[in-house]
Amino acid sequence: MNKNVSQTKDYFSELLPLISTDKREVVIFPPFTSLSAAVSCTQGSCVKIGAQNMYFEDSGAFTGEVSAEMIRDTGAVRVLVGHSERRTLFGETDETVNKKLRKAFETGLSPIMCVGEDLNQRQSGETFDFIASQIRNGLAGIENDSIVVAYEPIWAIGTGVTATSGQAEEVCGFIRERLAEQFGNAADGIRILYGGSVKAGNIKELMAMEDIDGVLVGGASLKSEFADIVNYDD
Ligand code: PGA
């Protein structure tokens, strides 16, 4: 919940001159009210726009909700589904995640499904069982292997505590194994992102990991540091 329309315009006029890449997919996820402005600002640039959430019904009496089609209509191309804040603060479940993923694909929006354990689960050794169940239930019945999965340990989001590259790789590798059970060999090509206190100072080490194909950046995306993350030298 950052940046109104005029702040969004300022943001892109500062950011866009700093990044130019056809090698990396760069997507910014502003709040709903800034989607259209963000799409206009980024036209002709290497940056695409996505939404932070969506609802799984097409239209109707669902006050306060925004459909996949409404998002698509702004020119946005991606959507985040099941971010941990949606799950912990707003009651999102694996079942609603699954419905949203289905609707996103049906509408032509490319979804990113977020998964991740909290500190209690990590400390009590439940991480792998929990992630496996989020993947199994979130992706139940979904055959579209253009899904992107973001591993975001809750204890690392917005805390300044980044998972070590070893911890992140261990879970991302585990996620790829679970994806292989569902998608077979196509799992090798499914993009798995790491998120949680990603910064210019740790991007290189994280991206060097075999099963980390990209990152989901929160706090650092609000600063010009984001350009250094996009432009990191591999
Ligand atoms: P952070 O946020 O980079 O500030 O930890 C990540 C996220 O919210 O997805």
Side-chain angles (χ1 to χ4, degrees):
M1 199 168 72
N2 287 291
K3 302 210 185 286
N4 63 23
V5 171
S6 67
Q7 291 164 336
T8 298
K9 290 178 181 167
D10 290 347
Y11 173 78
F12 283 113
S13 55
E14 281 168 37
L15 179 70
L16 293 180
L18 304 178
I19 53 171
S20 144
T21 173
D22 47 17
K23 283 201 314 196
R24 292 169 185 160
E25 180 181 358
V26 185
V27 188
I28 301 283
F29 297 81
F32 291 130
T33 47
S34 293
L35 282 177
S36 292
V39 168
S40 314
C41 291
T42 52
Q43 219 113 54
S45 79
C46 64
V47 175
K48 295 182 216 155
I49 300 301
Q52 299 176 4
N53 184 28
M54 56 168 275
Y55 195 52
F56 51 76
E57 294 288 352
D58 288 324
S59 66
F62 303 103
T63 302
E65 294 297 326
V66 174
S67 75
E69 190 279 327
M70 290 168 181
I71 293 167
R72 191 79 193 82
D73 185 54
T74 66
V77 293
R78 284 199 173 275
V79 63
L80 293 177
V81 176
H83 187 280
S84 67
E85 285 145 25
R86 300 303 315 169
R87 294 177 187 261
T88 57
L89 303 175
F90 302 102
E92 188 95 69
T93 63
D94 288 339
E95 194 188 350
T96 57
V97 165
N98 185 257
K99 287 182 179 172
K100 291 180 180 192
L101 293 175
R102 287 165 187 261
K103 183 55 74 177
F105 278 129
E106 194 186 304
T107 312
L109 267 185
S110 303
I112 298 177
M113 177 177 74
C114 304
V115 299
E117 80 287 1
D118 66 22
L119 191 57
N120 263 341
Q121 290 167 319
R122 173 151 288 259
Q123 287 174 341
S124 53
E126 293 162 34
T127 298
F128 292 100
D129 284 348
F130 182 66
I131 300 285
S133 76
Q134 283 188 314
I135 301 266
R136 190 173 55 246
N137 298 326
L139 293 180
I142 287 177
E143 291 173 4
N144 193 322
D145 60 23
S146 70
I147 186 76
V148 175
V149 179
Y151 168 54
E152 296 207 297
I154 294 173
W155 47 272
I157 297 181
T159 56
V161 182
T162 319
T164 64
S165 50
Q167 285 172 319
E169 168 62 17
E170 188 182 27
V171 179
C172 290
F174 175 81
I175 289 172
R176 197 171 312 278
E177 286 165 18
R178 303 286 74 73
L179 294 173
E181 289 171 358
Q182 182 156 346
F183 297 99
N185 291 340
D188 290 339
I190 294 182
R191 243 182 282 171
I192 300 175
L193 316 181
Y194 166 77
S197 300
V198 174
K199 315 174 202 87
N202 57 29
I203 178 70
K204 195 167 172 170
E205 191 183 336
L206 288 164
M207 288 300 290
M209 296 293 117
E210 186 178 342
D211 291 299
I212 299 178
D213 307 312
V215 289
L216 187 50
V217 186
S221 71
L222 298 169
K223 311 178 205 156
S224 57
E225 176 184 0
F226 184 65
D228 299 328
I229 295 174
V230 173
N231 296 333
Y232 88 96
D233 190 6
D234 60 359

